[in-house]
Structures are given as structure tokens and as C-alpha cells.
Amino acid sequence: EPTKAYGEQLRDQVEERLNFYDTGAAPRKNVDVMTAVSEGLRALAPKSEKEKKAKKAESAASEEEPKKDKKKKDKKKKSKKKKDKKKK
């Protein structure tokens, strides 16, 4: 999902640098700002991503189980038919 977090922080950095020229107050380093933004976004995202992955795994597992059972039944039927043909 797109976010404005990085752009907003970059804008704040520009303001800090302009302020540096006026007052001499040191601006934050780019690495520190971008790290803070990415950590903030990660703190928000994992819950929803984990839930999505968990739901996906559950639905995939529930869909696979019936298919496996059906395949086993089909194999049993086929092998039974082969045995019946051999007996005749």
C-alpha cells in the first residue's frame, strides 16, 4: 500500500537544512530519518501481513485436504478396477 511517510520526512529534512543555514542547528542525518520511517512502517504492517499469510495458509490447507482425500479414493477405485480386470 502506498505511503506518504517517506515524502513527509524528506520535506521535514529540507526544512531542517534551511533552518541550519539560518540558525546553525544541525539537521538530522538522512540515514537516521529513513531508518525511523521504515521502522515505523514495519510496526504498523506486520499484524496485517501476518494475518493475511495465516488466512492464506489456512485456506490453502483446508482446500488441499479434500483434494488429497479425493485423490486417495480415486486411486483406490482405479487399483480395485485393475484387480477386478486381472481376475476376469
Side-chain angles (χ1 to χ4, degrees):
E1 182 175 314
T3 180
K4 296 179 182 180
Y6 287 103
E8 291 171 355
Q9 289 301 313
L10 287 171
R11 186 178 336 115
D12 291 344
Q13 279 187 291
V14 170
E15 293 297 324
E16 288 176 12
R17 289 185 181 134
L18 292 173
N19 189 30
F20 169 72
Y21 294 121
D22 292 338
T23 64
R28 297 177 291 170
K29 292 188 177 188
N30 189 47
V31 173
D32 298 334
V33 173
M34 293 301 120
T35 303
V37 172
S38 65
E39 288 174 358
L41 292 174
R42 279 190 209 131
L44 298 174
K47 291 180 184 177
S48 62
E49 291 296 321
K50 283 182 182 178
E51 289 174 1
K52 286 179 185 177
K53 288 180 183 179
K55 285 180 183 178
K56 208 177 229 186
E58 287 175 7
S59 65
S62 66
E63 288 177 6
E64 288 179 13
E65 288 176 11
K67 289 179 183 178
K68 288 180 182 178
D69 292 339
K70 188 175 182 180
K71 286 181 182 179
K72 286 180 183 178
K73 288 179 183 177
D74 289 344
K75 285 183 181 180
K76 287 181 182 178
K77 286 180 182 178
K78 286 180 182 178
S79 64
K80 195 172 187 180
K81 286 181 182 179
K82 285 182 183 179
K83 286 181 184 178
D84 290 342
K85 285 183 180 181
K86 286 182 181 179
K87 288 181 182 180
K88 290 181 182 180

